[in-house]
Structure formats: C-alpha cells, structure tokens
Amino acid sequence: MDKKVLVHLFCGLLAVLSVFVVKADNPYRYYTWTVTYGTISPLGVPQQVILINGQFPGPSLEVVTNDNIILNLINKLDQPFLLTWNGIKQRKNSWQDGVLGTNCPIPPNTNYTYKFQAKDQIGTFTYFPSTQFHKAAGGFGAFNIYKRPQIPLPYPNPDGDFTLLIGDWYKANHKALQASLDSGKTLPFPDGILINGQLTTTFTGDQGKTYRFRISNVGLSTSFNFRIQGHKLKLVEVEGSHTIQNEYDSLDVHVGQSIAVLVTLNQVPKDYYIVASTRFTKKVLTSTAVLHYSNSHTPVSGPLPAGPTYQIRWSILQARTFRWNLTANAARPNPQGSYHYGKVPIKKRIVLENSAPLVNGKQRYAVNRVSYVNPDTPLKLADHFNIPGVFSVDSIQILPSEGAASVASSVIPNSLHDFIEVVFQNNENTIQSWHLDGYDFWVVGYGSGQWTEARRRTYNLVDALTRHTAQVYPNSWTSILVSLDNQGMWNLRSAIWERQYLGQQLYLRVWTPVHSLANEYDIPNNVLLCGKAVGRHL
C-alpha cells in the first residue's frame, strides 16, 4: 500500500479517536455562589433569611450524569458555613460531603471551592446548610440530575419539569431557634408550610401534555402529604431509583425525601389546587399552589382535595407499594435489577434505637444511648492525619442496651465492600426520618412494635427500591440493606434537624488498609484545616 495512503488512513484514525475522546469526556460545570443574609416575608412577617446569589430558595443545580461540578462558595455570613449535597453519593470523595465530620466550615468572608462529580446518578435531590441551625433560615435548593442521551427513560420524555421544594417554616430567626435548643428546650410547632419559599405560587402547563413534578421535603421536622385537585400522580422516581409506575391520589413525603411524579393535564381547562398538608400532627398545616392550564379562564375553586392526617397504617401500606423497576436503566446501561441484593450474605447487622434523654438536665437526642457531639477537628481529617483523641470506634454499640445516655463523637467501623443490615428501632411516639450520606440503600421492611429476627421473613428481597432517606413510623421499625462500596467517613443522621442538632447522628467509617485511588481520592489540595489539623502537611 502507498505510504501516502497509509499516512492518510493513520491521520483519519487519529481524528476519529480524538473525536471519541472529546465526546467521552465528562463536562465541567462552573459556579460561583455568594451566601448572604437578606430580609423577606415568606409568612407575611419580615425576617432574616439566607440567600444564595440573592435567591431564596437558592439556585437550582441542573446537571447530567457524570458531570463534574466546580462550585466556589463565598461565605458572607457572620458565622462559619457549609453546604451538603443531600443524596449525592460523592463516590470515593467524602472530602466534599460538606458536613462537620468531613469538612471544616468556611469562615466568614472567605471561600471554599467544592469539586465533585455526579457519578452514576440520575434523579431528584437537594442541597442545604449543614452548619449550626442555618437550615432554618434557608440556603437550600434543588439538585436535579438528568440522564445521559444514550440512556433511555422508562417513560416518554415529559413535556416539562416543575421543581417543588416544600417544607415547614418558622417566623423566628434561626439564631433564636438555635439558642432555644442550646438552652435545653425543644422547638415549637412550625408556623407554616412554604412551597418554593412562598405561601402560594403557580405552575402553568398545556392541556393534554404530561409534566414531571420533582417534589422534595426541605423542612425541619414535618412530613407532608402532596396532592393535586382532580389529577392522578404517577410515581416514576424516588431519589434516583426508577419505580414501578403506580398511580396515586396523594403521596406522603417525609423530611429529607424526594420523589418525581408524572401529571397529565387531562382535565377541563381551568385552574386546580396543588396541596401540601402536614402528617402525623395534631394541628394540620396546609399550603396551596395553583396548577394553571394555559388555556384556562377559570380560577381555582371548590374545597381543597382531602388528604390523610394521622393515619399511620395508610402511610405504611402506601410505602410498601413503592417498588423498584427491575428492567429500567438508571444512570448506567445495565438494568437496576441486575444486582440481586436479596441474595447477598449479610456481613454485619446494626440495630439503632433513637431516644430523647436529658443529659445534664438538658434535652438531647441519642442513638443507642450516645448523643453525638461535633469535635473541633472533623473526623475525616483526624482519620487522615492519625490525630488521636478526636473520636473512638468504641464509643457506640451496634445493638441497643439499657443505661444512662452519654455524649461522644460516635463512629462505627466497617470494612470496604461489607454488605450490612441496619435496623432503625423507634420506640417514641413521633415519626423519625433517617439519612445516610455517600450511599443509597434498599428499604426492605417496615413494621410496628419491636424488631426481631422473625421480622426478616417479611422483607422484600426482590424489588425494594433504593433511596437515601427512610422514614420510621412511631413505635415501629424500618430495616435497610447497604452495600458499603464507597470508602470514606459517612454521616448517618436524623433528617429531623432539631434531633440531628442535638445528637441523633453518628458516622460510618468505611475503610480498607490498602491505599489506592481506585478506592478513595487523595485529600484535596485546597482542603480547609481546623482544630488539631491546623499546621498539618498534606
């Protein structure tokens, strides 16, 4: 063959390969966010809130699977500040998790740049402040991850997306609420419910079209029921899991949770109520928005659609209908059901019992009698630099026991790639909501009373969905299975923020003695150092 022909063929091959490499690269998305205080009146009374780039709620992060996020956060508050990314797994990268066990808070008038990837995830998530009691002032927002073009959706592409950030709200300043907790008091009942930071808002769509509603509970303490007057809700996704597409008249969403539903505008053209009302509360708070047909000339009317109030069994039965779509792709080409979680041997079983003890005469919340306190040095930094005296892996037992409560920086040690069961035992009369950073998990069972080995016979070991936050009903238990395939220091906490703040949390240390970038990324070169880590060399 002629040399010129060979050269042309070789150059052409290089060109094809270079195009492939460029297409294979995962895009980088750059953001600069400035965190400030501002004064608005979400419940009709002027109050100080936390704004991000002047917005309340904060800007939405709209990204695609495997996008790299470079986010420079500038803190203009008068207190140290962090954001955490609720449900983002931070694969091999707990350095970017944004909680006090992994990160030093960003001091006032300084900045920190988060660098992480939306690795192998799709779905509906949120972000919010993890420091002090800032979450009660705002600083939260939506984090939506869309599929890559080559991955099919298990339903037709919706004609549009609506994001609804719904949560309970207080008129009181966040510092006053925190001071009340510090004094040993509990929080009062919330003053209202906000939808996207407002008492009312409008969502407009065209008759005959189908829209995806992304719904998240960004509140501090209260579950809510969501419904739309005259319309069915087709559940299609829960925190990154594609679900069996059942239709519902209304859906419960507990603190820290997110869902996505399809709503077809197939009714007479007019305006319809969108309703969120509190669950399991003696006093029922209700907030409304409007679904407006674009060809409507008729305002909302009639009574609000009724929803459940305190019916616990109703909620349990609904939760058991949430099932994994085994044949659907999620973020990757392989079907969700290709991993047979129900056949994996369990390496360790942990039973965690929440409680509300008094410690030194003040209200605290505890797990297995240990109420967590944040040390001055983040656990992750202490672990990395081998700093003694910051935490102990013997400070908490993995089974409940009798005795007085104590305070500690509690860490449960685990080996990388262990497959574990965690049972949340709730002997209190209030609903609980538990969240695990760094992972999603299979919610395999709910039940009333005390958990026993015999309850395992009731588990769903075939098509339980995965999610990052699970509810535990009053005087009940919830069981989850977790594949510990993500090395790091991971926060397991109550999503009910008063309880988290006063100690209902701990950390899972997932570790292997083999140091490898295949297991965990190196410490970032821009890491903030505080406490006993100050002056340490990276």
Side-chain angles (χ1 to χ4, degrees):
M1 186 179 289
D2 187 271
K3 285 185 178 181
K4 285 186 177 180
V5 174
L6 283 173
V7 169
H8 281 300
L9 284 172
F10 181 70
C11 291
L13 178 61
L14 283 179
V16 170
L17 286 174
S18 66
V19 168
F20 174 78
V21 169
V22 169
K23 286 187 176 180
D25 281 348
N26 297 309
Y28 281 75
R29 296 181 184 266
Y30 295 87
Y31 306 88
T32 298
W33 285 2
T34 301
V35 182
T36 61
Y37 289 126
T39 301
I40 62 173
S41 304
L43 290 178
V45 177
Q47 64 182 117
Q48 184 186 68
V49 301
I50 291 175
L51 308 174
I52 299 179
N53 288 356
Q55 299 177 43
F56 174 82
S60 292
L61 283 173
E62 308 283 341
V63 305
V64 174
T65 301
N66 293 345
D67 281 358
N68 295 283
I69 291 120
I70 311 296
L71 193 149
N72 180 28
L73 190 71
I74 302 167
N75 177 19
K76 290 294 185 179
L77 305 184
D78 56 355
Q79 296 177 320
F81 186 80
L82 282 173
L83 286 178
T84 190
W85 318 95
N86 200 45
I88 306 305
K89 293 181 185 178
Q90 304 290 3
R91 295 289 303 171
K92 303 186 288 185
N93 199 15
S94 66
W95 302 109
Q96 306 294 332
D97 200 31
V99 291
L100 290 173
T102 58
N103 296 84
C104 297
I106 306 164
N109 297 309
T110 63
N111 72 299
Y112 174 73
T113 300
Y114 290 91
K115 302 175 183 178
F116 61 93
Q117 186 179 25
K119 178 68 174 171
D120 292 340
Q121 287 189 264
I122 54 96
T124 304
F125 306 98
T126 60
Y127 64 85
F128 60 81
S130 64
T131 39
Q132 312 225 21
F133 218 62
H134 293 137
K135 191 181 180 188
F140 54 78
F143 196 138
N144 298 324
I145 307 178
Y146 295 83
K147 71 176 187 67
R148 291 175 289 169
Q150 63 268 38
I151 304 296
L153 274 177
Y155 50 87
N157 284 320
D159 295 298
D161 260 26
F162 298 125
T163 295
L164 290 81
L165 303 175
I166 305 175
D168 52 22
W169 191 255
Y170 290 88
K171 296 177 183 176
N173 182 276
H174 71 281
K175 292 180 181 178
L177 294 173
Q178 180 177 331
S180 179
L181 293 176
D182 290 342
S183 72
K185 299 176 183 177
T186 59
L187 289 186
F189 191 67
D191 295 306
I193 295 179
L194 301 181
I195 300 177
N196 290 352
Q198 304 173 71
L199 275 177
T200 186
T201 188
T202 298
F203 301 90
T204 300
D206 296 331
Q207 188 179 22
K209 292 186 176 180
T210 297
Y211 296 86
R212 180 168 50 194
F213 283 68
R214 298 181 181 271
I215 304 153
S216 296
N217 189 330
V218 295
L220 296 177
S221 62
T222 314
S223 303
F224 65 76
N225 179 267
F226 179 86
R227 50 205 184 271
I228 300 178
Q229 184 182 30
H231 291 75
K232 294 288 188 180
L233 311 174
K234 181 182 285 187
L235 185 68
V236 293
E237 179 244 324
V238 172
E239 295 160 19
S241 276
H242 288 308
T243 62
I244 297 296
Q245 295 172 21
N246 297 324
E247 288 191 336
Y248 301 87
D249 292 320
S250 70
L251 285 162
D252 282 351
V253 186
H254 306 282
V255 181
Q257 294 184 346
S258 297
I259 63 173
V261 299
L262 297 181
V263 179
T264 300
L265 276 59
N266 55 7
Q267 299 300 303
V268 173
K270 68 185 200 73
D271 293 358
Y272 295 87
Y273 284 115
I274 297 172
V275 182
S277 58
T278 56
R279 293 285 272 120
F280 320 117
T281 57
K282 291 180 180 179
K283 178 183 177 182
V284 177
L285 297 175
T286 300
S287 185
T288 62
V290 175
L291 175 58
H292 172 70
Y293 280 46
S294 59
N295 57 341
S296 164
H297 301 287
T298 307
V300 289
S301 62
L304 298 182
T309 53
Y310 205 86
Q311 296 93 323
I312 293 173
R313 181 164 175 75
W314 184 97
S315 189
I316 293 175
L317 292 176
Q318 182 181 85
R320 288 175 178 160
T321 68
F322 295 177
R323 300 296 180 100
W324 226 14
N325 186 333
L326 298 178
T327 60
N329 307 108
R332 304 177 73 175
N334 50 307
Q336 292 180 145
S338 59
Y339 186 82
H340 302 289
Y341 68 92
K343 297 180 179 180
V344 181
I346 294 172
K347 195 72 175 286
K348 178 194 291 187
R349 180 172 296 118
I350 300 170
V351 181
L352 300 177
E353 181 180 290
N354 52 272
S355 59
L358 294 179
V359 178
N360 297 324
K362 292 185 176 181
Q363 179 68 65
R364 297 285 301 182
Y365 297 99
V367 187
N368 289 1
R369 298 191 295 108
V370 180
S371 186
Y372 185 88
V373 289
N374 285 302
D376 293 336
T377 307
L379 309 176
K380 183 63 181 167
L381 292 180
D383 203 21
H384 177 78
F385 291 119
N386 295 313
I387 301 172
V390 175
F391 69 90
S392 169
V393 294
D394 300 320
S395 57
I396 186 170
Q397 299 175 339
I398 63 171
L399 297 174
S401 61
E402 298 293 327
S406 61
V407 297
S409 302
S410 37
V411 175
I412 295 177
N414 301 273
S415 296
L416 183 65
H417 301 305
D418 276 358
F419 192 81
I420 68 171
E421 177 181 7
V422 181
V423 178
F424 299 109
Q425 180 67 54
N426 178 20
N427 295 330
E428 298 183 64
N429 294 323
T430 57
I431 192 166
Q432 306 292 318
S433 189
W434 280 96
H435 170 85
L436 176 60
D437 281 350
Y439 292 92
D440 51 19
F441 46 73
W442 292 271
V443 186
V444 293
Y446 302 97
S448 59
Q450 290 291 126
W451 179 88
T452 64
E453 288 277 352
R455 301 299 186 105
R456 301 193 83 250
R457 292 196 294 268
T458 68
Y459 286 4
N460 177 359
L461 298 179
V462 177
D463 61 355
L465 57 77
T466 60
R467 65 185 316 165
H468 58 66
T469 302
Q471 72 273 20
V472 191
Y473 294 97
N475 298 297
S476 298
W477 57 269
T478 294
S479 182
I480 67 172
L481 301 179
V482 194
S483 178
L484 297 180
D485 60 354
N486 193 14
Q487 184 168 325
M489 189 73 74
W490 301 109
N491 192 206
L492 177 58
R493 62 176 177 265
S494 173
I496 298 172
W497 216 238
E498 170 185 359
R499 300 186 74 102
Q500 179 274 154
Y501 179 76
L502 291 179
Q504 191 174 316
Q505 61 170 311
L506 54 92
Y507 281 78
L508 299 183
R509 180 182 187 248
V510 180
W511 184 78
T512 176
V514 179
H515 176 75
S516 168
L517 291 178
N519 295 329
E520 185 175 30
Y521 298 142
D522 285 336
I523 186 170
N525 57 14
N526 68 331
V527 67
L528 299 177
L529 300 179
C530 56
K532 296 179 180 179
V534 171
R536 301 277 175 158
H537 296 291
L538 303 185

